[in-house]
Amino acid sequence: TEGRQLEADKEDAKHLFEGLKVFENDKYKEYQGKYPVVYMTFKNAKQTTWEGTYAKLKKLIAEEYRRHSYLLDKNIMDESQVLKYENIMKLKEEDYTDCIQNLTIYLTQYYREKCIVLIDEYDTPIQSGYLDEYYDKVIEFTKSIFQAGLKNNTNLKQGVITGVMKVAQESVFSDFNNPIISTILSAQYTESFGFTVGEVESMAKYYNLEDKIEDIRDWYDGYIYGIDTPIYNPWSIINYISCPENGFKPYWVNTSNNRIIKEVIQLDKKEGKEVIEKLLKGEEVRKVIEENIVYQNIKSHPNVAWSFLLHAGYLKACDKGYDEFGESFEYSLKIPNREVTKIYRNMLKEWFEDEVKAADKVLAIVDALKKNNIEKIGILIEELYFRMVSYNDINTKDYDEEEKRHENFHHGFMLGLMMYAEGIFEINSNREYGLGRPDIVL
């Protein structure tokens, strides 16, 4: 009965593909409708707290269970399994470990065929965890459900996971057995992650947009897969071609999380600005690129930071060679297209505005000093610190030097700030006064 049900589902969906290019291949015809599918996308699981992200993850798991709720009517589960299925939103955090695996068990029992599991944008909640400081919690949760559902699961036909980071080295997948990995730098599947030049030209011809092909290329082309395969951004192409009357817009930029790109480049503001200025001039920059990226290393390893921008689509790799020591791969990096250029231009504008605001804050501190408004001075200095100072400015790997470096940094920051009050106060640093030697005296 279950086998006949799968055949019936297959026939119901067959008309969706007839007449399309995919059905010109007999292999795809054979696979169409053959296996039950578990599909989840984590693209919206990106709240500012772990509690919010956890709630989103629970909801999308429950929605996939609800999509297969017909399983409850077929007597393939015992009483405890039915109870767990029906209360999927009420489980404790540790009880979600088997959620993917259990669903594949039930589907396999029902259809008499192994399952295909598709997980899209797996690292979106991990990225939010990195930005909003709940990284360890989201790693622990996703690691538990993926390992149970995708490793040594006898009910699994095939699993496919997509994300920005190379999954083999992310700690979520550290225990997986030999997954096949494909990144933007890989030679395999280079034409599978976007539209090729030929496909875009065919679309433009089909929709009578051949006169727009140069503008389409300027805005949405420029990505390079495997070093030599040009690829168009599929999201932007679909949005433009579906309604060309709206003109050329940065469609993908408006959907991506640009907050992380700002954090990555601001790890070293001086170098970051210099690199962006070169990129905006159309120049190339040479960087050592890592394929194996873990989010925790982005802030402490500059190569990882630039590698993230490449894998996330904010840069393209044009040329490959060895670094000066002949030990690592170095690539020439450029901005892919006009759409991404807009991100960098906006970023420079925001930096300039931040510096102007910071200058206003400094002048306000000087004014409060003149008026002896100590409470306001404290508030303004705190705001200035939050705006201007990074943990990495005072971080050091040498524990013995840590205290000295912290003192030197803060002393220099405050002394530089007080220099704006010259002409109003006499300013002395580390001078003997009375029985001691204060840091700064006005």
Side-chain angles (χ1 to χ4, degrees):
T1 303
E2 289 83 357
R4 288 197 297 273
Q5 178 63 48
L6 190 56
E7 285 298 318
D9 293 342
K10 178 177 180 177
E11 288 302 315
D12 287 344
K14 190 174 181 180
H15 72 280
L16 297 172
F17 306 98
E18 288 180 337
L20 300 181
K21 195 174 184 67
V22 67
F23 252 34
E24 294 175 7
N25 189 308
D26 291 336
K27 176 182 176 181
Y28 299 141
K29 281 185 178 180
E30 179 188 347
Y31 284 150
Q32 185 262 317
K34 185 173 182 180
Y35 304 103
V37 175
V38 174
Y39 169 72
M40 287 185 277
T41 176
F42 287 8
K43 67 178 182 179
N44 293 321
K46 51 182 178 180
Q47 308 305 301
T48 56
T49 65
W50 165 237
E51 291 73 22
T53 296
Y54 175 53
K56 285 280 188 180
L57 290 168
K58 286 171 57 177
K59 184 178 179 182
L60 71 89
I61 292 168
E63 287 173 350
E64 184 62 8
Y65 267 66
R66 196 173 297 118
R67 188 169 73 89
H68 297 287
S69 59
Y70 55 85
L71 296 170
L72 294 170
D73 303 326
K74 301 301 178 181
N75 298 320
I76 63 170
M77 291 178 271
D78 60 33
E79 187 176 338
S80 64
Q81 290 174 325
V82 169
L83 185 63
K84 193 172 184 179
Y85 197 110
E86 292 177 334
N87 291 283
I88 191 69
M89 277 291 288
K90 300 176 183 178
L91 298 180
K92 295 179 181 178
E93 190 171 321
E94 60 270 18
D95 292 333
Y96 279 94
T97 297
D98 302 325
C99 64
I100 295 177
Q101 184 182 38
N102 286 341
L103 190 52
T104 63
I105 292 172
Y106 307 148
L107 287 167
T108 299
Q109 290 175 348
Y110 178 59
Y111 285 112
R112 307 295 185 190
E113 288 283 359
K114 293 185 177 182
C115 293
I116 291 177
V117 175
L118 306 176
I119 307 293
D120 190 27
E121 297 197 38
Y122 89 92
D123 58 346
T124 295
I126 297 173
Q127 188 179 118
S128 293
Y130 159 77
L131 288 169
D132 294 307
E133 300 182 351
Y134 57 86
Y135 181 87
D136 290 341
K137 289 184 176 180
V138 73
I139 283 289
E140 182 179 354
F141 181 82
T142 51
K143 182 176 183 176
S144 66
I145 64 173
F146 288 163
Q147 287 194 354
L150 299 172
K151 180 185 178 182
N152 298 328
N153 183 356
T154 57
N155 301 284
L156 185 68
K157 171 66 177 176
Q158 186 175 7
V160 179
I161 302 174
T162 65
V164 171
M165 296 297 96
K166 181 177 178 180
V167 297
Q169 292 298 318
E170 178 59 72
S171 53
V172 170
F173 301 97
S174 57
D175 296 331
F176 269 47
N177 298 327
N178 303 318
I180 298 173
I181 307 298
S182 183
T183 74
I184 195 170
L185 301 175
S186 303
Q188 60 190 150
Y189 308 123
T190 53
E191 297 183 353
S192 302
F193 297 103
F195 293 136
T196 64
V197 173
E199 288 168 340
V200 172
E201 289 175 351
S202 295
M203 278 189 278
K205 183 177 180 179
Y206 183 87
Y207 288 102
N208 298 316
L209 294 170
E210 291 175 280
D211 60 324
K212 302 292 185 181
I213 195 66
E214 288 300 321
D215 289 326
I216 293 173
R217 184 179 296 117
D218 184 38
W219 271 89
Y220 309 123
D221 188 14
Y223 295 99
I224 305 292
Y225 275 72
I227 301 303
D228 58 5
T229 304
I231 291 293
Y232 283 77
N233 185 321
W235 174 258
S236 299
I237 289 294
I238 290 172
N239 274 274
Y240 170 71
I241 287 185
S242 67
C243 191
E245 295 82 5
N246 288 334
F248 294 97
K249 295 180 180 181
Y251 294 103
W252 176 70
V253 169
N254 292 336
T255 65
S256 61
N257 187 348
N258 298 327
R259 179 181 161 198
I260 194 167
I261 183 180
K262 291 176 66 177
E263 289 215 359
V264 166
I265 293 179
Q266 285 183 316
L267 296 178
D268 186 334
K269 288 187 179 181
K270 183 176 184 297
E271 187 197 19
K273 286 184 182 179
E274 290 175 354
V275 170
I276 288 180
E277 287 167 1
K278 289 183 69 175
L279 291 170
L280 286 173
K281 292 177 185 176
E283 299 176 14
E284 298 178 358
V285 294
R286 296 288 294 184
K287 295 290 180 182
V288 173
I289 294 299
E290 306 282 348
E291 277 201 88
N292 302 324
I293 300 173
V294 177
Y295 278 101
Q296 288 170 309
N297 293 340
I298 289 177
K299 288 188 177 181
S300 57
H301 296 74
N303 289 343
V304 175
W306 292 108
S307 301
F308 171 83
L309 297 182
L310 172 64
H311 287 284
Y314 296 104
L315 294 170
K316 69 174 179 180
C318 309
D319 183 43
K320 179 180 179 181
Y322 285 101
D323 66 359
E324 57 181 315
F325 304 107
E327 297 174 351
S328 302
F329 286 121
E330 191 176 65
Y331 293 83
S332 294
L333 305 177
K334 294 184 71 173
I335 297 176
N337 50 44
R338 190 169 172 182
E339 183 176 34
V340 180
T341 298
K342 187 175 178 64
I343 294 179
Y344 291 103
R345 290 195 184 282
N346 288 342
M347 196 174 304
L348 281 180
K349 180 181 177 183
E350 288 174 15
W351 269 338
F352 177 76
E353 290 174 351
D354 282 347
E355 288 175 352
V356 170
K357 291 174 185 174
D360 291 342
K361 198 79 68 179
V362 170
L363 294 177
I365 291 172
V366 173
D367 184 62
L369 280 170
K370 290 167 63 176
K371 297 176 181 176
N372 199 31
N373 189 339
I374 305 303
E375 183 179 357
K376 186 175 182 180
I377 292 169
I379 293 171
L380 291 170
I381 288 177
E382 181 177 304
E383 291 177 358
L384 194 63
Y385 256 91
F386 275 116
R387 180 183 300 278
M388 301 295 292
V389 179
S390 163
Y391 161 79
N392 292 283
D393 292 327
I394 56 175
N395 185 31
T396 175
K397 294 179 180 178
D398 190 335
Y399 182 79
D400 294 334
E401 293 184 6
E402 186 169 355
E403 186 174 345
K404 181 180 179 181
R405 180 168 176 177
H406 285 191
E407 166 122 15
N408 289 344
F409 175 85
H410 296 300
H411 184 111
F413 186 90
M414 292 301 299
L415 184 61
L417 179 61
M418 291 303 112
M419 288 296 107
Y420 284 87
E422 275 192 313
I424 301 170
F425 297 95
E426 179 184 346
I427 300 162
N428 293 316
S429 172
N430 281 326
R431 299 278 185 88
E432 291 78 8
Y433 278 84
L435 300 178
R437 192 174 68 178
D439 293 297
I440 302 172
V441 170
L442 281 71

